[in-house]
Amino acid sequence: MEKIVEQTLLYDFYGELLTEHQRQIYEDVIFNDLSLSEAAQERGISRQGVHDMIRRCSRILQGYEEKLGLVEKFLKTQEKVREIHRLTQEYRKTRNDDLIWRIEELSAEISRL
């Protein structure tokens, strides 16, 4: 997965578990595209402090994902929903009842995630 997409998803799912200070710095650098120096100046800390905070936040967010797996479940669900969409489009063209069985299987898999 592309690094920025991964960071965004991890933050979307687990960002609220960071402290307010951690969230501010992480958002400044990752989402607002501030340099480490700019973020440091804005927050009144050292450039190294910002760098360390970003690394720490990334490790924290990754740790939550390793324990909870919410991003992985979300991505698997998205994949299955796309497949269901593709199959329904194909069914409209072919009226192949085997496609309905596959759609049912996929929806059952989603409900078990």
Side-chain angles (χ1 to χ4, degrees), residues 33-88:
D33 204 28
L34 268 63
S35 69
L36 297 178
S37 298
E38 291 169 327
Q41 185 176 10
E42 188 170 306
R43 300 291 168 196
I45 60 176
S46 70
R47 183 185 178 286
Q48 185 63 44
V50 171
H51 179 265
D52 291 347
M53 180 69 71
I54 297 302
R55 288 185 52 204
R56 186 175 325 123
C57 289
S58 294
R59 282 195 311 269
I60 289 168
L61 296 172
Q62 189 60 48
Y64 287 134
E65 176 59 17
E66 288 169 8
K67 290 176 182 146
L68 301 172
L70 297 178
V71 172
E72 182 181 355
K73 288 176 187 175
F74 172 74
L75 293 173
K76 285 180 181 179
T77 300
Q78 271 191 324
E79 182 181 316
K80 291 180 187 312
V81 168
R82 281 192 298 274
E83 179 68 5
I84 287 171
H85 179 73
R86 187 190 67 73
L87 291 170
T88 57

Side-chain angles (χ1 to χ4, degrees), residues 84-97 99-100 103:
I84 287 171
H85 179 73
R86 187 190 67 73
L87 291 170
T88 57
Q89 297 298 314
E90 188 176 331
Y91 178 77
R92 285 189 177 139
K93 295 174 187 172
T94 65
R95 299 290 187 218
N96 180 347
D97 288 337
L99 296 173
I100 295 300
I103 291 169

